[in-house]
Structure formats: structure tokens, C-alpha cells
Amino acid sequence: MKLGSLRAIDAFIRLGGTGEAAQGLGISQSAVIKTLRQAEEELDLSLATTIQGRLVPTPEAQSLVRQAQPLFGALRRAHHEADMIRVGMVNRLRVATVPGLAHSILPPAITHTRRALDESAAVEIMFDHVREHLATGEADLGISYGPMRADDIADVALGQSPLVCVLSRDHHLARRTELSRGDIEGERLISYGPDGVSASDSFQEALTSAGLSERVAITVRHTDTACHLARERVGIALVDGFVISSNLVEGLAALPLEQSPLVTAYAHHRRHSPLDRAARLLLAQLQERSGP
């Protein structure tokens, strides 16, 4: 079976439809359908069925992908690496991060790392699937809200921060120096959902310990989204204090939550793979910028 056929099958089943697969692959929908039909003949297996006028994966196709997941994963990684080679990013620092920390401690750490390397370091940032990116060797460093507690991955505690409330400057609570749980009673709260990566998610644990996890009305993945919603007066963003090191709170009030539980940021790397100089410098910068 040709490489293009494998990619089309993977995209169709992973994304759930021929239109979605076509968009993901940058080809026409008719080309995806033609490739699927050819693959069905070659495999003697039904891969697509029509439901309410739409082609969707069959149970047989989904079973095939589950069995062949390592192959499809390797295929995606090879294709991505080929893209990186084409644009001259063979030697690059690869970082996988949860979205909540991507806009706070990571950007300044990357800036100072690149300066230390005379701006010569190319950097690739990947979101989510931090454990998988590390385990497959796709990332040099990972960042999340908790330890992974995996035999092959080292967890490095970077620093701790209280929860902070981010709100518009004209909010009636903005003149306070800190906010209590009682102060934000009845306010619409915006915050992150679970990071889906860590063995224990310190951000969610802090929310729960503060008695606020059930009071979050709007969940977001990215810190900038939370801050933009606060800027538009949609509600109060409840985020970790690491965000204060970024410019996302410029023009906003960022107030610590009184008696807040602490959130811990972690870095991760493969235990038996030595970090190169760029990764070591970035790890040191993350520790410096996340600490007290």
C-alpha cells in the first residue's frame, strides 16, 4: 500500500470524515474518497459507510487503526520530520507543553535561552500529549502541572504559585489587593480544564482544595483565552500566578486568591537520554523563572 493511502486512511479515521481528512491533508475530498475505495479493494475490507448522507469510518476501519496505531503514529512522525527537514529545522529544541503554561513561563525562558545561544537555536513548541511526545522522542522537554511518575521520564519541579484572579480594571473588585472565596461568590469564573497529562494535576488540585472547581462556568485551554475573556468582562479568570510574568495581564487586574493552595509547574525529560546544551539551558531558565 502506498504512503499516501496510509495517510488518507489515518486522517479519515482520526478526524472522522472525508471532508475533515481532505482539509487536514490539503487535498480534495474526492481524492480522499478515491483513495479509500482503492484501499478497500486492496485490503478487502469496508472502511467507510454512509450515514445520513455522510461517509464515516466503519467499525472495521476503527479496529484496523487501533491495531495499526504504532504504524500510523510512526508515519505521522516521519512526515512531520520531513517537513522540518525541508524548512531547515533538523537541529531544533523541541518542547511539549500543556496550554496553560505555554503563555507564561515558557516564552521568556525561550527568549533567554536563545540569547545565550546567540539566537542560533531553532525551537518547535508542541501542545498537549506531553507524555507521548516525550516517550516517542518527539520532544526534548515537556512542561505540565504535575509529575508523570513514569519509569522512563524524569520529573523536575520548577516552582510554585498561588491561584490568581484576573479581571478587567473597571470591575468592582479590581481595587482590592487580594480576593477571598467570598469576594468571588456569584461571579462567573473562567478557568482551565484538566491537563490530561499528569499523574496528579496540581492546578486542578488547587481549584478543588479552594472549593472552586465546581464553580467554574467557562473552561478554556489557553491562558490568553482566559485573559481575553476577562478583558471583555465575561467573568473573572482564575489562573496560576505564573501568568503574571507574561504580558497577558497588561491592562488587567491580577489579584492573588487569599489563602490559595499552591500550583506546581513541572518539567519532564527522558530519563536515559542526555539533554543537549540548548535543552539544559532552557531547563535552567524555566527553574529560574518559576521559582520564588
Side-chain angles (χ1 to χ4, degrees):
M1 185 175 292
K2 293 181 179 179
L3 184 62
S5 299
L6 289 171
R7 291 187 62 221
I9 294 170
D10 174 46
F12 170 60
I13 296 169
R14 181 164 45 87
L15 300 176
T18 54
E20 293 87 343
Q23 186 174 8
L25 295 171
I27 61 177
S28 69
Q29 187 172 4
S30 60
V32 172
I33 294 171
K34 180 180 179 181
T35 300
L36 288 174
R37 294 309 183 204
Q38 290 173 340
E40 286 180 324
E41 290 183 13
E42 185 173 346
L43 295 171
D44 192 22
L45 189 69
S46 174
L47 299 176
T49 187
T50 303
I51 297 179
Q52 296 180 344
R54 185 170 180 269
L55 279 176
V56 296
T58 62
E60 293 85 357
Q62 292 168 347
S63 177
L64 173 66
V65 167
R66 281 195 299 271
Q67 295 296 323
Q69 195 57 51
L71 170 63
F72 286 124
L75 176 63
R76 285 194 296 273
R77 290 193 295 275
H79 191 267
H80 175 69
E81 196 60 32
D83 288 339
M84 293 295 102
I85 292 170
R86 277 194 295 273
V87 297
M89 290 184 65
V90 180
N91 299 314
R92 63 193 185 279
L93 177 57
R94 304 166 302 167
V95 184
T97 179
V98 295
L101 293 167
H103 302 95
S104 54
I105 61 174
L106 185 57
I110 287 176
T111 296
H112 284 79
T113 298
R114 294 192 77 248
R115 284 177 184 166
L117 296 169
D118 298 323
E119 306 290 344
S120 62
V123 181
E124 179 185 5
I125 299 174
M126 297 164 269
F127 289 106
D128 300 320
H129 308 294
V130 177
R131 185 196 302 267
E132 290 82 356
H133 285 310
L134 286 168
T136 57
E138 294 175 284
D140 304 301
L141 282 177
I143 307 172
S144 76
Y145 283 116
M148 296 192 180
R149 300 192 181 119
D151 291 341
D152 57 342
I153 295 176
D155 300 313
V156 181
L158 297 174
Q160 294 184 308
S161 167
L163 296 170
V164 298
C165 302
V166 178
L167 52 159
S168 64
R169 285 276 177 84
D170 59 0
H171 194 284
H172 70 278
L173 295 172
R175 294 185 180 275
R176 306 284 184 90
T177 56
E178 63 179 6
L179 296 179
S180 68
R181 295 167 183 78
D183 291 331
I184 58 177
E185 182 73 38
E187 298 286 340
R188 184 182 293 111
L189 300 184
I190 306 158
S191 196
Y192 313 134
D195 71 14
V197 170
S198 312
S200 59
D201 183 335
S202 68
F203 185 88
Q204 295 302 316
E205 289 172 356
L207 276 184
T208 300
S209 180
L212 296 171
S213 59
E214 298 299 322
R215 291 170 51 186
V216 174
I218 301 174
T219 58
V220 298
R221 298 181 67 246
H222 295 267
T223 310
D224 58 344
T225 305
C227 291
H228 286 317
L229 288 171
R231 197 182 306 277
E232 293 298 323
R233 304 172 183 81
V234 174
I236 294 177
L238 195 59
V239 297
D240 58 78
F242 299 120
V243 74
I244 295 174
S245 66
S246 73
N247 64 359
L248 291 176
V249 295
E250 187 175 338
L252 295 167
L255 309 178
L257 181 69
E258 184 180 88
Q259 297 180 334
S260 168
L262 295 177
V263 178
T264 306
Y266 284 82
H268 318 276
H269 60 86
R270 292 186 302 284
R271 203 177 287 278
H272 305 297
S273 297
L275 296 174
D276 65 14
R277 180 170 178 245
R280 292 196 306 273
L281 285 170
L282 179 58
L283 179 57
Q285 285 293 330
L286 287 167
Q287 290 174 305
E288 180 180 331
R289 294 174 189 286
S290 307

